[in-house]
């Protein structure tokens, strides 16, 4: 397998994951206050949405890379 095929497969997989999940979430811990030796922190869960058009574009781009890579 050459680099173009690997890139095409990665793009297709990323696009399919984006369509299936719609995004991902992560936890960010922030330090809100510090009173002497006591530190108060808050864990916030944030969600990152992946637009549907971006996922579909990744699938189309991956397919195009596979087609162009197979012609060479």
């Amino acid at each position: 397998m050459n680099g173009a095929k690997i890139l095409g497969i990665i793009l297709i997989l990323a696009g399919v994951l984006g369509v299936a999940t719609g995004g991902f979430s992560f936890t960010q811990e922030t330090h809100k206050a510090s009173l002497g030796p006591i530190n108060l922190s808050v864990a916030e869960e944030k969600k990152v949405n992946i637009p549907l058009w971006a996922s579909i574009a990744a699938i189309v781009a991956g397919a195009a890379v596979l087609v162009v890579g197979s012609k060479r």
Side-chain angles (χ1 to χ4, degrees), residues 16-67:
V16 169
L17 282 174
V19 169
T21 62
F24 60 93
S25 62
F26 62 95
T27 303
Q28 181 180 15
E29 187 171 325
T30 57
H31 297 285
K32 293 291 183 182
S34 179
L35 303 169
I38 300 172
N39 290 325
L40 300 174
S41 62
V42 177
E44 298 179 56
E45 185 172 335
K46 296 191 176 190
K47 181 163 175 62
V48 177
N49 293 321
I50 300 173
L52 183 61
W53 62 266
S55 299
I56 293 172
I59 293 170
V60 171
V65 168
L66 281 178
V67 169

